[in-house]
Amino acid sequence: QVQLVESGGGLVQAGGSLRLSCAASGSIFRINVMGWYRQAPGKQRELVASIRPGGSTNYADSVKGRFTISRDNGKNTVYLQMNNLKPEDTAVYYCNADHLGSVYWGQGTQVTVSS
């Protein structure tokens, strides 16, 4: 079992920045891909960014150049630095981890961007 706890969401004006953190605990040995997803009201959950243990990353086109995912394997934590935020980035952001073929989710953190 893996537990994921997100933090760092909040309310920010358009053009501002936020940094999300996701700390993993429990059976964390050999966690594979970690990522961030988001779900806006009335929309499906979508991938924002993901990162492999070696550091290779993948981003949604809508956030390329604005968001940066990073990972501290020693602290079992993944981060999402979000810059130049737009109102359309407003959503609940979820941390995700792939561990030995099972997928785990955090409880989500709200990000609201005002225009």
Side-chain angles (χ1 to χ4, degrees):
Q1 291 289 327
V2 174
Q3 294 81 44
L4 303 172
V5 178
E6 301 107 332
S7 60
L11 173 64
V12 65
Q13 289 187 331
S17 298
L18 284 173
R19 188 193 195 205
L20 305 183
S21 300
C22 172
S25 61
S27 301
I28 56 178
F29 182 64
R30 296 181 66 183
I31 288 180
N32 191 9
V33 180
M34 296 188 75
W36 289 94
Y37 286 70
R38 67 187 181 187
Q39 188 167 17
K43 295 187 177 181
Q44 289 189 329
R45 191 172 297 188
E46 62 176 1
L47 174 68
V48 176
S50 63
I51 185 168
R52 295 190 172 275
S56 60
T57 58
N58 181 47
Y59 293 93
D61 288 343
S62 59
V63 307
K64 284 181 181 177
R66 300 189 297 122
F67 291 10
T68 302
I69 189 170
S70 60
R71 180 170 179 166
D72 186 333
N73 290 326
K75 294 182 178 179
N76 303 306
T77 300
V78 64
Y79 305 95
L80 186 68
Q81 177 67 42
M82 305 185 293
N83 298 329
N84 190 21
L85 282 159
K86 303 176 180 181
E88 52 263 43
D89 295 317
T90 295
V92 178
Y93 283 69
Y94 296 91
C95 180
N96 164 283
D98 177 354
H99 178 249
L100 299 178
S102 295
V103 176
Y104 298 88
W105 294 93
Q107 81 285 356
T109 185
Q110 177 70 46
V111 171
T112 302
V113 184
S114 63
S115 58

